[in-house]
Amino acid sequence: MKKTFYILLSFFTLASCSNANSEENKKEKFIDSLLSKMTLEEKAGQMNQYNGFWDATGPMPEGDYQKKRYKELKNGQVGSMLNVIGVDQIRALQKIAVEETRLGIPLIFGHDVIHGYKTMFPIPLAESSSWDLELMEKSARIAATEASADGLHWTFAPMVDISRDARWGRVMEGAGEDPYLGSKIAVARINGFQGQDLKDSLTIAACAKHFAAYGFAESGKDYNTVDIGLQTLHNIVLPSFKASAKANVATFMNSFNEINGIPATGSKFLQRSILKEKWNYKGFIVSDWSSIEEMVAHGYSKDLKSAALSAIKAGSDMDMMSYAYIKYLNNLLDEKKISIDIIDDAVKRILSVKYDLGLFSNPYLYCNDVREEENIFNDRNRALALDIAQESIVLLKNDANILPLKKSGLKIALLGGLAIDKDSPLGNWRAKAPKNSAISVKEGLIKYNNNTVKFQKGPKLFKNPTFIDGHLNVNNTDTSGTYSALKLAKESDYVITVLGEHGLQSGEGRSRSNIKLPGIQEHFLKEIYKVNKNIVLIIMNGRPLDLSWADAHIPAIVESWHLGTMSGNALASILYGDCNPSGKLPMSFPRSIGQVPIYYNHKNTGRPGPSDYVFWSHYSDEKNDPLYPFGFGLSYTNFEYSNLELSKADERTINVKFKVKNIGNHSGKEVVQLYVRDLYSSQTRPVKELKRFRKVQFQIDEEKIFNFVLKKNDLGFLNDSGNLVFEKGEYEIFVGGSSKTNISSF
Ligand code: NOJ
């Protein structure tokens, strides 16, 4: 039966009004008065950010470079520093800024606190698989607690870049391919880092990055050119940034890439027109590391001076490591290429964040040694890291319910170097996590010692040395170690093999053109399969991989990503059924690299097929659909969706009601998902768009009724000017446990 919903077109404007309260007035007065005392040099100093350049608790810096920076610091020509770690270092540098510079303006210290500080949570892509916003907020809060207890004020996170390309190594740092899920996660993380009040010394300022479209680097190659249309920009790329701005994220970071011919760092369109004017954003924008200078290499700026001019005009407020503002703002002003207003605006924004952090009241607010002891890496933090690691694991395949495993009486062969790796699960961007501080899979499994678990490494993942110039030296040839591993596999009831990527194989600069298991791991897996087919394959990785062979042969596949400090315990609890897997993929897994970029919310095309005849939109050597779609993940139980009913509350609102029942033999959580398709409109719309989700626990046989309300902005789209368009039309509504659901209103 076909149910059609006609929606009447209507416009209404939401008036936004901001009444500065007295606290705001006080702040404004303070900042204006400070600004009036500042020289141009000091203003440019506030806009200048340096990497830590010497041990500030040691003797005076040596070397010309260090001496010069030190002099600038004392002159008030530095406003912020990054990568300075620990209360002692931060206090020592802050003391110079506060006591030795003319105006005593405190520094703001930033660091990449991406998925934990010392207690490591799953990498952001993994955490996103939990679809649990509350837990993600909590993990960001703990990261903030630990980082602030170590003296830090500011994290360069969350990365809210949407990406559809598994080749791009930085997908590990984001929330995947979907703008709706990505926006919700962005807000959860910002709220976690920033809390209710930035002055609270347990919170830190967040940074929505990389503005914008960094996740659309051509061919998945990091730092590469981005060329996308306005439709993709407004409807896919920008929503998570807009949500971040709305959630009052303290700062933004611009991006390395050019977009449609203009480097993002020099893009007035992005930074001034959209972010600061249209979205009325009041925080400041920091450049990415040397991204101002890189506009020269882009072929956009003639030299560093003209790069500084483009960046400041475009709205880039703070210069991270290009030395462009400190060198040239003075000249640019003298030459009347810029006005003092533009500089004042940037400085005010930076001072305002410092004010909000409470640094003017107490520059050492975050430098408390007692807090450092109490807050970092404690049992409470690790307990949350375990919770979220469990929620982040995605069960991709479980033929004949091979999982969960019995807790006793089994002979298990544990194979693969990653099974004993205590470092890789920490993932990339690991802040201050001690090396090898993760619980390995082997350590996790040992708890269930009523089974006999024997370990063999199999062939090496890497040659010696493991790294050459930051690149992993992957073993592509040496099969030694295979024999003993296969012997053990043959003698065992089950094989648990842990394969995938090293923790530093994804992240910045780690693009891959081949997304199969690196090195000879797939070959090793095939060899194991020849001697024992009862294989549980645990994948550790920072991006979707091509698992087609494994999917066709291996009965159980567990996607574990890089799960952080508590990795091994989380995995063991899933394998033995103490915890029922509930993660769902935030990114599609391709069948092969040729399908990339692949994403569920694609367009239909004029020739969607399928057809027996050749002329339709498809590959002649590959299926169109992904191996594992967005939103997909199995459980040890099954959920049944039924009774989908739609009703119109008014001309702009649809009520969606349906029933979900746990029809299996385990209690468990389901991520209930709702998708919309706009069947025709003045701009073509994707075949499905996620609009609501909820993660809910079900007991055995339990059924629940869900009521979701869809409003105008869920049904409309953004036009080329970024304005919401809502058209009369027909919509199909889907509900289910993945984007592949075909339970729909038609
Ligand atoms: C470059 C990265 O792109 C950015 O995300 C990071 O915050 C900065 N480096 C600082 O480490």
Side-chain angles (χ1 to χ4, degrees):
M1 202 179 89
K2 180 164 163 155
K3 295 179 197 158
T4 307
F5 279 78
Y6 293 100
I7 312 288
L8 291 183
L9 176 68
S10 78
F11 298 98
F12 65 96
T13 331
L14 286 176
S16 82
C17 51
S18 69
N19 285 326
N21 57 27
S22 62
E23 181 51 35
E24 276 301 305
N25 285 336
K26 207 170 117 196
K27 170 170 136 185
E28 226 176 287
K29 263 193 177 158
F30 174 85
I31 290 173
D32 284 345
S33 137
L34 183 55
L35 197 71
S36 68
K37 295 178 199 133
M38 291 171 81
T39 62
L40 177 60
E41 215 170 42
E42 285 161 342
K43 287 178 183 174
Q46 286 306 304
M47 298 164 71
N48 183 31
Q49 185 187 53
Y50 282 157
N51 196 35
F53 53 86
W54 109 100
D55 173 3
T57 55
M60 288 298 164
E62 283 174 17
D64 291 347
Y65 173 84
Q66 276 82 357
K67 279 186 190 154
K68 188 163 188 299
R69 303 289 160 249
Y70 181 60
K71 202 170 145 215
E72 285 164 348
L73 184 61
K74 289 177 97 142
N75 282 346
Q77 289 175 287
V78 183
S80 171
M81 291 184 75
L82 77 154
N83 296 334
V84 178
I85 301 289
V87 165
D88 291 347
Q89 292 289 329
I90 290 177
R91 191 193 287 118
L93 289 161
Q94 193 69 301
K95 204 160 180 285
I96 297 175
V98 172
E99 294 179 14
E100 299 186 37
T101 67
R102 195 179 72 91
L103 292 170
I105 302 174
L107 297 163
I108 173 172
F109 289 90
H111 191 56
D112 291 289
V113 181
I114 306 296
H115 57 109
Y117 185 66
K118 197 164 175 189
T119 308
M120 281 293 117
F121 297 99
I123 55 168
L125 187 65
E127 264 199 358
S128 305
S129 309
S130 76
W131 296 53
D132 190 324
L133 299 174
E134 217 175 290
L135 274 183
M136 283 184 257
E137 181 171 336
K138 281 188 186 157
S139 84
R141 175 59 51 82
I142 287 176
T145 308
E146 292 195 354
S148 63
D150 219 14
L152 288 166
H153 312 143
W154 180 23
T155 175
F156 305 123
M159 183 185 104
V160 305
D161 296 311
I162 299 300
S163 183
R164 299 163 161 178
D165 199 324
R167 292 170 296 186
W168 191 51
R170 292 199 84 167
V171 296
M172 56 85 40
E173 210 182 326
E177 73 191 36
D178 183 66
Y180 179 80
L181 178 63
S183 301
K184 296 281 176 205
I185 292 176
V187 172
R189 289 188 170 140
I190 290 163
N191 289 341
F193 287 128
Q194 298 194 161
Q196 296 293 315
D197 183 0
L198 279 183
K199 277 192 190 67
D200 178 343
S201 63
L202 296 178
T203 63
I204 54 179
C207 180
K209 71 186 187 185
H210 305 85
F211 196 61
Y214 184 40
F216 276 72
E218 222 170 72
S219 49
K221 196 167 61 174
D222 209 1
Y223 318 119
N224 205 5
T225 308
V226 174
D227 200 337
I228 55 171
L230 289 170
Q231 217 188 102
T232 305
L233 180 70
H234 288 300
N235 289 283
I236 306 292
V237 169
L238 293 184
S240 53
F241 287 102
K242 190 171 183 189
S244 303
K246 208 166 158 208
N248 291 322
V249 67
T251 65
F252 263 61
M253 183 185 290
N254 58 34
S255 54
F256 288 127
N257 56 283
E258 68 162 73
I259 167 166
N260 303 341
I262 315 278
T265 305
S267 172
K268 212 169 170 178
F269 167 66
L270 287 173
Q271 298 174 100
R272 281 214 191 275
S273 308
I274 294 184
L275 180 59
K276 291 184 174 173
E277 286 162 20
K278 193 167 176 129
W279 299 349
N280 197 24
Y281 180 64
K282 299 292 182 212
F284 73 83
I285 306 175
V286 61
S287 79
D288 203 344
W289 182 294
S290 79
S291 70
I292 299 182
E293 183 187 7
E294 287 174 22
M295 289 199 285
V296 178
H298 274 292
Y300 184 70
S301 306
K302 181 172 160 247
D303 49 25
L304 188 60
K305 184 175 170 188
S306 68
L309 176 63
S310 298
I312 181 72
K313 276 169 69 180
S316 195
D317 302 304
M318 185 182 275
D319 170 2
M320 180 193 284
M321 291 301 290
S322 283
Y323 312 104
Y325 287 174
I326 193 76
K327 281 188 186 148
Y328 295 113
L329 286 186
N330 209 338
N331 300 148
L332 292 170
L333 193 73
D334 279 353
E335 292 163 17
K336 301 207 171 4
K337 295 219 167 93
I338 49 172
S339 71
I340 190 69
D341 293 352
I342 206 169
I343 293 178
D344 283 353
D345 176 64
V347 176
K348 273 187 182 178
R349 287 169 182 269
I350 294 163
L351 295 177
S352 165
V353 172
K354 291 185 177 181
Y355 186 99
D356 292 343
L357 281 163
L359 292 174
F360 286 110
S361 315
N362 178 4
Y364 307 105
L365 185 60
Y366 302 80
C367 293
N368 176 335
D369 306 290
V370 180
R371 276 193 340 116
E372 189 175 0
E373 291 294 308
E374 279 171 5
N375 286 293
I376 301 185
F377 210 54
N378 58 29
D379 289 349
R380 193 173 41 94
N381 298 0
R382 281 200 296 272
L384 188 88
L386 175 62
D387 270 5
I388 192 147
Q390 288 169 327
E391 301 283 321
S392 304
I393 293 167
V394 188
L395 181 62
L396 296 176
K397 196 176 169 202
N398 193 21
D399 273 5
N401 294 333
I402 178 171
L403 290 174
L405 296 171
K406 280 197 303 185
K407 287 182 182 164
S408 60
L410 296 180
K411 279 192 285 177
I412 294 177
L414 179 65
L415 308 181
L418 287 172
I420 53 163
D421 192 335
K422 291 174 64 58
D423 205 53
S424 275
L426 301 173
N428 208 336
W429 295 118
R430 48 183 63 186
K432 212 185 162 188
K435 206 168 165 37
N436 296 320
S437 57
I439 295 173
S440 71
V441 176
K442 186 171 174 217
E443 288 168 331
L445 289 179
I446 278 167
K447 290 206 182 137
Y448 296 83
N449 56 9
N450 291 331
N451 283 328
T452 316
V453 179
K454 288 191 182 161
F455 171 73
Q456 278 293 333
K457 199 168 177 179
K460 280 188 288 197
L461 258 180
F462 304 106
K463 294 188 254 181
N464 277 331
T466 308
F467 288 95
I468 300 174
D469 297 333
H471 289 279
L472 279 153
N473 193 4
V474 178
N475 167 29
N476 290 310
T477 47
D478 181 3
T479 56
S480 52
T482 307
Y483 176 77
S484 357
L486 296 186
K487 187 164 172 292
L488 179 61
K490 219 176 196 169
E491 295 160 356
S492 305
D493 301 315
Y494 287 92
V495 174
I496 299 176
T497 180
V498 189
L499 304 178
E501 294 184 316
H502 183 279
L504 299 177
Q505 219 157 0
S506 50
E508 187 179 349
R510 271 76 166 186
S511 296
R512 293 181 61 198
S513 68
N514 167 357
I515 53 166
K516 281 180 176 284
L517 293 168
I520 53 173
Q521 294 183 90
E522 189 166 299
H523 171 77
F524 178 49
L525 185 61
K526 288 176 181 167
E527 294 297 305
I528 303 170
Y529 183 74
K530 284 183 195 158
V531 299
N532 189 338
K533 297 198 169 21
N534 288 332
I535 301 173
V536 175
L537 170 62
I538 297 177
I539 305 286
M540 260 188 204
N541 50 329
R543 53 157 68 80
L545 294 175
D546 167 357
L547 299 176
S548 288
W549 188 87
D551 181 71
H553 298 88
I554 305 301
I557 306 178
V558 178
E559 174 54 73
S560 81
W561 311 107
H562 293 124
L563 282 179
T565 304
M566 302 304 284
S567 174
N569 286 0
L571 275 160
S573 70
I574 293 276
L575 296 188
Y576 285 115
D578 285 354
C579 178
N580 190 350
S582 61
K584 301 275 185 176
L585 295 177
M587 252 186 114
S588 308
F589 272 48
R591 293 177 185 277
S592 59
I593 190 78
Q595 288 184 316
V596 173
I598 184 164
Y599 45 98
Y600 84 96
N601 48 356
H602 59 82
K603 299 292 182 71
N604 202 35
T605 81
R607 295 194 180 189
S611 160
D612 292 336
Y613 198 48
V614 70
F615 297 115
W616 64 287
S617 180
H618 73 300
Y619 301 104
S620 53
D621 57 356
E622 185 59 278
K623 290 184 179 166
N624 273 3
D625 65 340
L627 184 63
Y628 306 119
F630 173 83
F632 169 79
L634 300 171
S635 161
Y636 295 151
T637 191
N638 290 305
F639 297 98
E640 181 188 71
Y641 286 70
S642 63
N643 297 17
L644 174 60
E645 286 170 24
L646 308 183
S647 58
K648 223 170 16 166
D650 59 49
E651 294 307 335
R652 289 186 298 267
T653 311
I654 300 176
N655 292 328
V656 184
K657 189 173 165 194
F658 56 97
K659 192 163 89 182
V660 182
K661 184 172 181 188
N662 179 356
I663 54 168
N665 299 322
H666 295 260
S667 59
K669 289 182 185 163
E670 169 71 328
V671 179
V672 172
Q673 302 162 46
L674 184 155
Y675 296 84
V676 168
R677 178 171 182 186
D678 181 350
L679 290 183
Y680 51 87
S681 84
S682 58
Q683 269 188 4
T684 60
R685 304 299 309 141
V687 292
K688 268 178 197 162
E689 291 177 272
L690 179 71
K691 291 297 172 188
R692 292 287 182 278
F693 65 88
R694 201 170 294 157
K695 189 166 190 174
V696 187
Q697 169 79 31
F698 287 82
Q699 297 310 320
I700 298 169
D701 284 335
E702 191 179 4
E703 58 181 42
K704 290 187 176 160
I705 304 288
F706 290 84
N707 284 294
F708 288 120
V709 180
L710 295 175
K711 300 263 186 200
K712 193 179 87 152
N713 52 341
D714 300 309
L715 302 170
F717 61 90
L718 299 171
N719 66 13
D720 286 356
S721 312
N723 296 327
L724 183 68
V725 175
F726 174 63
E727 294 170 345
K728 184 174 171 178
E730 286 175 75
Y731 299 85
E732 190 173 6
I733 314 285
F734 304 81
V735 294
S738 99
S739 62
K740 212 172 174 179
T741 173
N742 52 13
I743 302 163
S744 87
S745 56
F746 282 98

